[in-house]
Amino acid sequence: MSDSNRTSRFGLSRRTFVQGIGASGLVGAGTNVASAAIDDESVTPVGSGSVTTAIPDGYDYPSPPDPTYVTGDVSPPIPTNDWWSGLLFGPYSAGPVIGDPYHGKAGPAGFTVTYPTDWDGDPAEQDTIVADTAQTPGVTIGHTDVEEFSDARVNDWGDWHVQATWGAGTDEHMDVTIARGLPLCFAEYSEGGARLAFSVDDRSIDDAAVSVWADRGNVLGITVSANGYDKHFGMFAPEGASWSGVSTAELRSELGDGDYLTVAVLPDASTDLLDQFERYAYNVVRDTTVDWEYVPDDDGTPVSEVRTTYSFATEAKPESQTEGTVTALFPHQWKHAVTELTDRTYWSVRGEMRVATGTSFTMAHTYDGILPFTPTSGVQDTETLRSYMTRLAEEYEPYVYDVPTSAYWAGKDFYRNSTAAAIADRTGQTEKRDYFLSAVTDRLEGWLSADDTALGTEAGQELFYYDDSRQVAFSDGMTVTVPAGEVVVAQSADHYGADTDAPMAPADLTAASTNSWAVELEWKASEDDTAVQYYVVTLDGTTHTTVSDPGVRIEGLDRGTEYTVVVSAVDPYDNESVPTSVTVTTDSEDTAPPEAPSDLQTASKTKTSVDLAWSPASDVGEESGIESYLVVVDGEQYTEVDETAVSVTGLDPDTRYTFAVRAIDEAGNRSEPVSTTAATLSESATQSPFEGRATIPGKVEAENFDQGDEGVAYHETTSK
């Protein structure tokens, strides 16, 4: 797809349209640009930048659309750049709501769902390729008592789901909950039942196009055929409910004693598939959350993985048969999934989607590290690279795209300049490097300032404005697109305003444990209106460390010494709390345990013994030295040795044991244990003979001898 050729609904390319917006902004301001100058009293510093809290008089540049279409249950900040955010700019939506595998459209009659499975035209002949939604039959989820709603409003959302309300504030309304990747749409009703109308691109279809392949009373399996497509749907009403209009283009149900309905888009017409979906269809999604963790090793085996878990919170209706839901994973998800997948798949414009079921699914990506710059070793020709950097700096402007322009295009300038700066640094072209770096920093500094004209813009044209009532900000220096539509508008991402309030001071700072060499401190987490970024820990007036969680261990202290420890909380805006302090005194005698031994290995094992070996431990503080090692078998002390190896004998055959070793210093302090597990050989095990020759000095020369315990045999011996 060519970026410059992608067209808007006005018939302009994306680039031309964005430039047109910039031009219209300049024309709208007229010659009286001074009237758009910002009042200094409205400017609030934020870090090294600033925002204005008042739009200046005479301001006539594009402003972001107001996310008006929300219910009274919604409070800011509102995510205006999510996959569903077009719903905010209504009255129904600023464009399609593409959740994949389904394609959604909000309208006056309700929410229309299609499942496209082919391209609109020949992708090889198109600059922009899209799914064939216009020819694909779908179903509109509506209300039996309302032909047309006045609008649809966002009512709730999570990390990748949203709930919208048709008829908000009226007695007859409908809530529809959808999620990215979820082939289920949940509808909940007030004062009425469900109306399902089949159509193609808002055009009604004949009854003959509808066939029913499963009718269980409240549950239907339906296929709609049009334009060469056969599209399959599952309808799940409450138990005891019935449907009217079965086998026609419009179905109705009063939903029995319930007020909910689930509609599923199905990849095929299968009663087995309908059974599988019915198990999950009555679990309404209420929340979606994403969490991740970095895992350096798994039970001692290095893995270096980032594991991301997507979790669903659901409300089970009476018909629910199990926990969780059914969801389709994108290729970048299922290719790295550690969650078991089913054999079901869906088509999507982003590639084949595969189905998982349950309350969550997890992906694991190997983290290989990040290089701070491109390595200079390789087959590249340095002089050629230098010529590229020279040409880029001398023959091109620092910004290929206009200033101001949308974040989409500005990002291309950022990437080009930041990449070139790294290359110029490695080729020794410091002047060119600084040129490219300045192109990045100057642009960002201008954007993140209340008003900046350093890049040739008019006064007020690069306004950075924060609306406290909506808790959103926008900058006309960079405009972004409404994700669900095609029209480029001057809309911002969600920025949070200037925060000058410090967090609460850490409470209950205490020494949880103290010895002659270290102290462990803990305190209650501080509260802040945004978040606590980290805690500063000061030791006797000098910053010792910063930590993200409420607790710290300070090591390397002197015996019998008093220390003052101070802790303060810092938020993302560098506001620091009032400090909290505590005085601690280390023990005068050696009470610090040594470091634990490491690398505990099983050197060899037989039916009744296991040989252990480990790396030596070291003592800490004003060292008294390592005295011995305590060997423990299954929680019971086995022996105490001076060396870093031991043979544990008298064990049972074919039995798994847990072995642990602790270091003991001369003061009697014991370290944390290092442990491992190993099993003895079974009674029936055949022990492999030693293959080769070995010389026993002055006695015999032996070959092929058994190294076992009982019944040791020596073969082919010769006297010496």
Side-chain angles (χ1 to χ4, degrees):
M1 181 182 72
S2 171
D3 287 325
S4 60
N5 290 331
R6 183 169 183 176
T7 57
S8 73
R9 66 179 66 177
F10 297 104
L12 300 174
S13 72
R14 173 177 282 192
R15 180 181 300 177
T16 304
F17 188 68
V18 173
Q19 292 171 343
I21 285 183
S24 67
L26 290 172
V27 172
T31 58
N32 189 24
V33 293
S35 63
I38 295 176
D39 183 356
D40 291 341
E41 293 183 359
S42 69
V43 175
T44 300
V46 181
S48 297
S50 59
V51 298
T52 178
T53 56
I55 295 179
D57 294 336
Y59 182 83
D60 196 21
Y61 296 102
S63 300
D66 197 344
T68 302
Y69 291 90
V70 296
T71 69
D73 294 331
V74 169
S75 59
I78 300 170
T80 57
N81 200 31
D82 217 323
W83 64 275
W84 51 263
S85 293
L87 292 166
L88 296 167
F89 309 116
Y92 305 102
S93 180
V97 184
I98 303 173
D100 286 325
Y102 65 88
H103 186 283
K105 180 181 179 181
F111 188 65
T112 301
V113 181
T114 61
Y115 169 44
T117 52
D118 202 357
W119 300 105
D120 183 9
D122 184 357
E125 299 177 357
Q126 298 172 317
D127 290 323
T128 302
I129 54 176
V130 295
D132 187 13
T133 57
Q135 300 298 315
T136 301
V139 58
T140 299
I141 305 170
H143 195 294
T144 55
D145 296 349
V146 183
E147 290 295 324
E148 290 191 0
F149 291 97
S150 60
D151 59 41
R153 295 175 176 266
V154 173
N155 186 58
D156 191 21
W157 61 83
D159 284 350
W160 74 96
H161 88 282
V162 65
Q163 183 186 79
T165 300
W166 276 254
T170 68
D171 292 336
E172 298 168 328
H173 63 264
M174 174 181 71
D175 294 333
V176 175
T177 302
I178 54 177
R180 199 81 188 270
L182 202 71
L184 306 174
C185 298
F186 304 97
E188 296 169 278
Y189 295 87
S190 174
E191 299 293 334
R195 183 179 78 249
L196 303 179
F198 300 105
S199 62
V200 176
D201 198 25
D202 295 332
R203 302 185 304 273
S204 60
I205 60 175
D206 295 335
D207 293 345
V210 180
S211 60
V212 179
W213 45 270
D215 187 348
R216 303 171 181 173
N218 61 319
V219 176
L220 299 177
I222 291 178
T223 296
V224 184
S225 302
N227 302 320
Y229 293 117
D230 295 326
K231 294 302 164 185
H232 316 292
F233 301 92
M235 318 299 182
F236 304 91
E239 186 176 359
S242 60
W243 292 93
S244 63
V246 176
S247 297
T248 71
E250 182 174 293
L251 302 174
R252 289 175 177 260
S253 176
E254 294 302 323
L255 303 177
D257 294 331
D259 57 1
Y260 45 89
L261 167 73
T262 299
V263 175
V265 293
L266 304 175
D268 55 70
S270 162
T271 55
D272 289 341
L273 181 61
L274 194 68
D275 290 341
Q276 182 186 33
F277 272 58
E278 186 176 1
R279 298 183 65 216
Y280 299 95
Y282 297 100
N283 296 337
V284 182
V285 171
R286 295 303 187 200
D287 197 13
T288 51
T289 55
V290 181
D291 195 14
W292 57 88
E293 62 174 341
Y294 172 66
V295 182
D297 63 84
D298 195 350
D299 292 333
T301 302
V303 293
S304 186
E305 289 182 342
V306 177
R307 297 178 183 174
T308 307
T309 298
Y310 296 73
S311 301
F312 296 91
T314 59
E315 176 190 345
K317 298 299 183 181
E319 298 82 3
S320 172
Q321 301 176 29
T322 188
E323 293 183 329
T325 189
V326 54
T327 188
L329 277 59
F330 290 102
H332 72 277
Q333 295 174 323
W334 61 255
K335 289 179 180 179
H336 301 278
V338 296
T339 302
E340 184 178 357
L341 305 177
T342 72
D343 58 356
R344 304 291 184 181
T345 62
Y346 280 91
W347 186 94
S348 84
V349 295
R350 299 179 64 182
E352 181 182 79
M353 303 181 75
R354 297 188 180 181
V355 173
T357 58
T359 58
S360 66
F361 65 90
T362 299
M363 303 157 48
H365 287 83
T366 300
Y367 172 69
D368 296 315
I370 298 175
L371 294 175
F373 46 76
T374 305
T376 54
S377 60
V379 297
Q380 78 279 355
D381 183 81
T382 301
E383 289 306 314
T384 300
L385 285 178
R386 290 174 63 88
S387 68
Y388 289 159
M389 297 302 100
T390 299
R391 180 185 175 192
L392 190 60
E394 295 180 356
E395 297 184 16
Y396 290 86
E397 296 294 328
Y399 310 113
V400 174
Y401 303 97
D402 291 344
V403 178
T405 188
S406 74
Y408 179 86
W409 300 109
K412 295 179 179 292
D413 278 332
F414 282 140
Y415 180 74
R416 184 188 68 259
N417 284 309
S418 60
T419 301
I423 296 174
D425 182 66
R426 306 314 299 166
T427 57
Q429 296 168 281
T430 56
E431 183 179 348
K432 302 296 188 294
R433 177 202 63 193
D434 294 344
Y435 171 84
F436 298 128
L437 283 177
S438 294
V440 175
T441 57
D442 291 351
R443 187 75 189 87
L444 286 174
E445 289 171 1
W447 183 38
L448 298 175
S449 298
D451 189 24
D452 188 275
T453 58
L455 298 179
T457 54
E458 304 288 352
Q461 191 176 5
E462 285 208 89
L463 183 74
F464 195 29
Y465 163 67
Y466 175 70
D467 185 338
D468 185 64
S469 63
R470 290 159 52 192
Q471 294 187 24
V472 296
F474 73 87
S475 169
D476 284 319
M478 293 186 189
T479 56
V480 300
T481 62
V482 177
E486 296 176 348
V487 179
V488 180
V489 296
Q491 172 201 335
S492 76
D494 292 318
H495 297 285
Y496 295 90
D499 179 1
T500 57
D501 295 328
M504 299 292 291
D508 297 339
L509 175 61
T510 57
S513 65
T514 305
N515 59 43
S516 58
W517 183 71
V519 60
E520 291 189 3
L521 301 171
E522 59 185 27
W523 58 89
K524 289 184 178 179
S526 298
E527 296 182 357
D528 186 64
D529 52 3
T530 54
V532 172
Q533 188 85 343
Y534 57 89
Y535 297 92
V536 178
V537 180
T538 301
L539 180 66
D540 281 352
T542 301
T543 300
H544 177 73
T545 188
T546 60
V547 294
S548 57
D549 296 318
V552 68
R553 177 179 172 86
I554 301 176
E555 299 177 339
L557 305 178
D558 296 329
R559 292 186 190 177
T561 304
E562 182 179 275
Y563 294 91
T564 299
V565 182
V566 176
V567 179
S568 58
V570 181
D571 69 12
Y573 296 90
D574 290 332
N575 300 308
E576 188 167 357
S577 74
V578 174
T580 301
S581 64
V582 66
T583 299
V584 295
T585 302
T586 55
D587 297 338
S588 57
E589 300 297 328
D590 182 5
T591 57
E595 299 288 347
S598 60
D599 196 26
L600 177 59
Q601 302 285 338
T602 54
S604 64
K605 52 189 177 181
T606 70
K607 299 173 185 177
T608 59
S609 68
V610 173
D611 290 346
L612 302 175
W614 57 90
S615 297
S618 58
D619 204 5
V620 298
E622 300 173 25
E623 297 184 9
S624 55
I626 300 299
E627 176 75 14
S628 60
Y629 295 94
L630 181 66
V631 180
V632 177
V633 180
D634 281 351
E636 299 291 333
Q637 180 174 335
Y638 175 76
T639 188
E640 190 172 324
V641 297
D642 299 333
E643 305 298 328
T644 56
V646 69
S647 180
V648 181
T649 60
L651 305 177
D652 295 328
D654 195 21
T655 303
R656 179 165 292 277
Y657 293 89
T658 298
F659 304 96
V661 178
R662 292 177 182 265
I664 304 175
D665 66 15
E666 294 177 359
N669 301 304
R670 297 185 178 187
S671 74
E672 291 295 317
V674 59
S675 62
T676 188
T677 61
T680 53
L681 300 180
S682 66
E683 286 281 12
S684 59
T686 301
Q687 295 178 228
S688 300
F690 175 78
E691 299 292 345
R693 303 183 68 85
T695 299
I696 302 176
K699 295 294 182 182
V700 297
E701 183 180 86
E703 65 178 15
N704 298 332
F705 63 87
D706 192 336
Q707 295 187 95
D709 275 359
E710 302 87 358
V712 175
Y714 296 89
H715 309 288
E716 300 182 21
T717 61
T718 56
S719 299
K720 286 286 188 179

